[in-house]
Amino acid sequence: MTASEQVTDRLVRLEVHSPSMGRDVPVMVMLPAHDDGPHGVYYLLDGNSGQTESNNWLDPDRGDAARFFADKDVYTVYPVGGTGTLYTDWQQEHPKFGTVKWETFLTQELPPVIDARFDTNGKNAIGGISSGAEGALMLAERNPGLYQAVAGYSGCYNTLEPLGKEITDLVVINGNANSELMWGPYGSPDWHAHDLFANAAGLRGTTVYLSSGNGLPGPHEKPGVPQLERRVVIGGLLEAGSNLCTNQLVPVLQNAGVHVVRSAQPVGEHDWPYWRDELARSWPVIEARLQ
């Protein structure tokens, strides 16, 4: 760790050096409500709309996580800057971000810093929205035992089918990149190594929470809501796709002996109001594994 700043009484900004990426990575940490002994750690990943200078989970108009965790006894960790990378290690330089080794950073470099700096209990969970959901599940699957629970909020998880390849390209194009820079030629060993379906057994022993709506307007689509038409049309299509993707993954995980908690909602768009709802629904599941 190269720097630490107390932003509020509960929020700390760290600059954590990543030897693998050769730079300092900003990380926001929210402290537990009570300083009364060791507590677990919940890492929360942004989606493809994330920023390079902030994490949308902490935006009051988006994730509003500070309000939700105000009375919770858990350390929540918000890495900054992984948007458009799927939080994995890239084979080649990214045209916008340079060296990308997010898996190494999140699984090897950051946890020891968090555990040394704060009074943690050795229990970890990780979650993410949209493309961050896919990244979270990949990290948990590829690093068995590191996380006791993982949450995927409105993710799409199939990368090896042609449509999955197209979706993966849409994620990484956020930084003017392509997926071959990430994992090499389509269908090569690194693609198979990140296939959540083929490697489902890696999540045995980890509680998996998967949520999605079905793309239909719900309680958060009211007259006067900003960009309502875009949310209903674009958000509806994206969430319908996430619902299909999630339904494909659930039985594969269950057949591999993974404990899956599925939250399938009868309405819901691909947007933050529904992810805030799912954060609350998922919390009892996550909290139980962090004790």
Side-chain angles (χ1 to χ4, degrees):
M1 184 177 67
T2 59
S4 175
E5 176 190 359
Q6 194 79 32
V7 180
T8 70
D9 61 336
R10 293 277 304 282
L11 193 63
V12 179
R13 179 185 172 92
L14 305 179
E15 294 287 336
V16 180
H17 184 67
S18 170
S20 63
M21 290 195 276
R23 62 182 178 87
D24 293 343
V25 179
V27 177
M28 306 298 293
V29 181
M30 187 172 177
L31 307 180
H34 302 98
D35 184 13
D36 56 358
H39 296 292
V41 183
Y42 191 20
Y43 294 82
L44 283 165
L45 305 181
D46 223 333
N48 222 38
S49 62
Q51 309 299 313
T52 56
E53 67 280 354
S54 62
N55 184 305
N56 284 332
W57 279 105
L58 288 171
D59 185 334
D61 295 325
R62 293 181 177 177
D64 201 19
R67 180 198 59 79
F68 178 77
F69 289 108
D71 61 348
K72 309 295 190 295
D73 282 322
V74 62
Y75 291 96
T76 49
V77 178
Y78 310 89
V80 175
T83 182
T85 69
L86 278 180
Y87 298 95
T88 117
D89 287 2
W90 286 43
Q91 292 185 3
Q92 300 182 50
E93 294 285 296
H94 190 290
K96 183 177 180 181
F97 304 127
T99 301
V100 175
K101 299 290 182 183
W102 274 99
E103 179 175 351
T104 298
F105 177 72
L106 290 170
T107 63
Q108 299 177 31
E109 297 170 352
L110 180 58
V113 172
I114 298 298
D115 291 339
R117 174 69 171 76
F118 303 104
D119 190 13
T120 63
N121 66 3
K123 303 289 184 65
N124 302 301
I126 189 167
I129 57 106
S130 194
S131 62
E134 184 180 6
L137 262 74
M138 286 182 184
L139 291 171
E141 187 178 82
R142 289 169 53 80
N143 297 272
L146 179 58
Y147 307 105
Q148 280 62 56
V150 57
Y153 308 111
S154 300
C156 203
Y157 306 100
N158 195 327
T159 52
L160 275 179
E161 288 185 355
L163 179 58
K165 166 64 163 60
E166 292 181 17
I167 293 173
T168 304
D169 278 326
L170 286 175
V171 170
V172 301
I173 205 172
N174 188 45
N176 300 316
N178 64 68
S179 55
E180 282 76 14
L181 294 177
M182 182 169 62
W183 295 332
Y186 177 56
S188 61
D190 219 8
W191 282 83
H192 286 276
H194 289 85
D195 179 11
L196 285 163
F197 288 73
N199 302 299
L203 286 167
R204 288 177 188 157
T206 303
T207 297
V208 178
Y209 184 96
L210 295 175
S211 70
S212 63
N214 66 359
L216 294 176
H220 297 295
E221 280 68 58
K222 300 176 181 178
V225 170
Q227 297 184 316
L228 179 59
E229 183 177 346
R230 181 186 183 279
R231 282 174 54 167
V232 170
V233 177
I234 304 300
L237 289 172
L238 289 173
E239 194 64 11
S242 294
N243 192 48
L244 175 62
C245 292
T246 305
N247 285 337
Q248 291 174 335
L249 181 62
V250 168
V252 174
L253 294 177
Q254 291 173 332
N255 290 337
V258 179
H259 178 210
V260 181
V261 178
R262 173 71 167 112
S263 173
Q265 299 302 311
V267 295
E269 312 288 354
H270 201 73
D271 209 342
W272 279 102
Y274 293 99
W275 297 328
R276 291 196 298 267
D277 292 345
E278 284 301 335
L279 177 63
R281 288 192 190 100
S282 67
W283 177 240
V285 176
I286 303 299
E287 183 183 31
R289 296 306 313 272
L290 293 176
Q291 301 300 314

